[in-house]
Amino acid sequence: MSAQSNNMDWVATVGMGQRARTRRVTTTAALLAATVTVTLAAGCAGGPHTPVDDGRGRTVGTPAATPSDTPPPRRTAAASAPLAVKIDNVRAARPQTGLRAADVVYAEQVEGGLSRLMAVFATKLPKVVGPVRSARESDLELLRQYDRPTLAFSGAQHKLLPLIGQAPLRPEQPGNVEGAFFRGADKAAPHNLFLRPARLMPTAPTATALTNGFRFGAAPAGGTPQTSRTVRYPSASFTFDWSADRRRWLLSTDGAPTLTSEGQRVTPATVVVQYVKVRASRFHDFLGNTTPYTETVGAGTADVLRDGRVYEARWKRANPADGTDFTTADGQPVNFAEGQVWVVFAQAS
């Protein structure tokens, strides 16, 4: 399958040191299929320990016409709930807008071996974020670790819509809130749908909304020096190069530096390569290609990259409503560096 098949939106009619968490328990189904190869290059780290850039700058966009669509049932955003946005990541969609403002960015594999992002905003809301694209079944399981988040997306496969409607989240897509979504003029459809977050929630909910289990603080003991790490999907790749001067990982996507629409480099403080099961879901794209399902409930291994080093870790999330714990082999928490976190899901061997 080529990138072309991922460039078509599905039609729809509905729609982060330690953090306090409030949880509720329910269950969510899981399934998914893909092949992921992880490659790395080891090196030495150095430099001062004072961050220069937290990797979460504010970005802006240019308003245009608001598209219309049939809204799903209305749900009110909770003051403590974060905003999650599905973001297009094919070449035609770059550079993206608002990505540096996210507290957490998840990278997953979708049809054709391509990649898609989910950005979670809690401590800051950008003026504009996008391009916005469609939701997947595994997004519902992933988001259960947050307390009734708002999910902004462009649509979904029609058989998935009832599951989205039943999920403990607030779904938002074009047509729900006047002026929230608009089409930009600098990209071709479907890579030109953008969101004004302020139309969905007046203020950022603060870090207490990040009930994902992530811990922040001093680095754990040990680790191995590493200055570059690449995660490959069949038709996409993410490379993180350590900058000792900036104390951040410089992201490149598909071999090119990842910049925002304002020309700023995307620079997470922590990168997590989380090894998960990826298998077939019950759903297909419009060409009949099976949609991968990334299982984020369970347990497995992970590599945590921070401060120019990599730390071997175990991850565990026993129930869908639980956050994800990352620990060392002896059970000690693996703290992340303050700043933006990227979680790249990779196929477990």
Side-chain angles (χ1 to χ4, degrees):
M1 173 182 167
S2 67
Q4 182 178 1
S5 65
N6 200 58
N7 292 344
M8 298 293 295
D9 268 329
W10 291 341
V11 177
T13 57
V14 292
M16 166 195 343
Q18 300 181 356
R19 308 298 190 197
R21 313 188 300 177
T22 56
R23 302 253 67 44
R24 298 177 323 278
V25 178
T26 41
T27 57
T28 299
L31 305 138
L32 253 171
T35 302
V36 182
T37 304
V38 180
T39 62
L40 58 86
C44 298
H49 291 274
T50 302
V52 176
D53 177 7
D54 76 351
R56 295 179 294 175
R58 188 180 296 275
T59 55
V60 298
T62 303
T66 301
S68 62
D69 200 354
T70 303
R74 297 293 300 124
R75 297 184 186 179
T76 303
S80 60
L83 170 65
V85 185
K86 290 307 299 289
I87 298 181
D88 201 348
N89 200 41
V90 298
R91 292 183 187 274
R94 299 180 223 134
Q96 293 107 335
T97 300
L99 199 55
R100 280 170 53 91
D103 295 277
V104 185
V105 179
Y106 298 97
E108 63 180 345
Q109 183 178 316
V110 293
E111 299 83 359
L114 295 166
S115 64
R116 187 157 293 181
L117 308 177
M118 181 186 287
V120 178
F121 303 87
T123 61
K124 180 185 296 183
L125 295 178
K127 292 182 179 179
V128 172
V129 61
V132 182
R133 288 302 299 270
S134 56
R136 297 295 186 270
E137 184 186 10
S138 52
D139 298 336
L140 306 182
E141 178 177 284
L142 177 62
L143 287 175
R144 285 292 311 281
Q145 61 196 304
Y146 298 96
D147 188 14
R148 302 194 68 84
T150 293
L151 172 61
F153 60 109
S154 66
Q157 204 265 1
H158 73 280
K159 293 182 179 180
L160 177 59
L161 295 177
L163 295 182
I164 295 176
Q166 297 164 14
L169 53 78
R170 173 197 178 195
E172 293 292 354
Q173 61 179 347
N176 287 12
V177 177
E178 183 178 359
F181 292 86
F182 66 90
R183 293 282 177 182
D186 60 337
K187 294 180 176 69
H191 315 292
N192 63 349
L193 181 65
F194 293 86
L195 169 71
R196 302 179 182 97
R199 300 295 179 96
L200 300 184
M201 51 182 63
T203 60
T206 77
T208 59
L210 296 169
T211 55
N212 49 24
F214 296 177
R215 297 168 178 263
F216 299 81
T224 303
Q226 185 166 95
T227 58
S228 183
R229 180 66 170 265
T230 296
V231 180
R232 302 188 189 279
Y233 296 164
S235 301
S237 67
F238 298 92
T239 297
F240 300 90
D241 293 308
W242 176 247
S243 169
D245 292 335
R246 300 179 69 172
R247 305 297 301 174
R248 291 293 179 265
W249 298 93
L250 310 183
L251 173 61
S252 296
T253 306
D254 299 340
T258 304
L259 306 173
T260 67
S261 57
E262 295 181 329
Q264 296 177 301
R265 192 76 177 265
V266 176
T267 57
T270 304
V271 177
V272 180
V273 182
Q274 185 174 344
Y275 297 96
V276 298
K277 293 180 180 178
V278 181
R279 49 193 176 101
S281 76
R282 295 170 287 175
F283 302 99
H284 303 76
D285 67 7
F286 74 102
L287 292 177
N289 299 290
T290 300
T291 300
Y293 188 106
T294 301
E295 294 191 8
T296 56
V297 173
T301 62
D303 292 331
V304 176
L305 285 71
R306 59 164 295 174
D307 306 327
R309 305 179 74 85
V310 58
Y311 299 86
E312 295 182 357
R314 300 282 305 176
W315 70 268
K316 182 178 180 180
R317 184 178 167 207
N319 300 294
D322 293 341
T324 307
D325 294 324
F326 293 88
T327 59
T328 61
D330 59 359
Q332 297 301 308
V334 176
N335 291 333
F336 296 170
E338 290 286 349
Q340 187 178 81
V341 177
W342 273 65
V343 179
V344 183
F345 296 117
Q347 174 75 6
S349 56

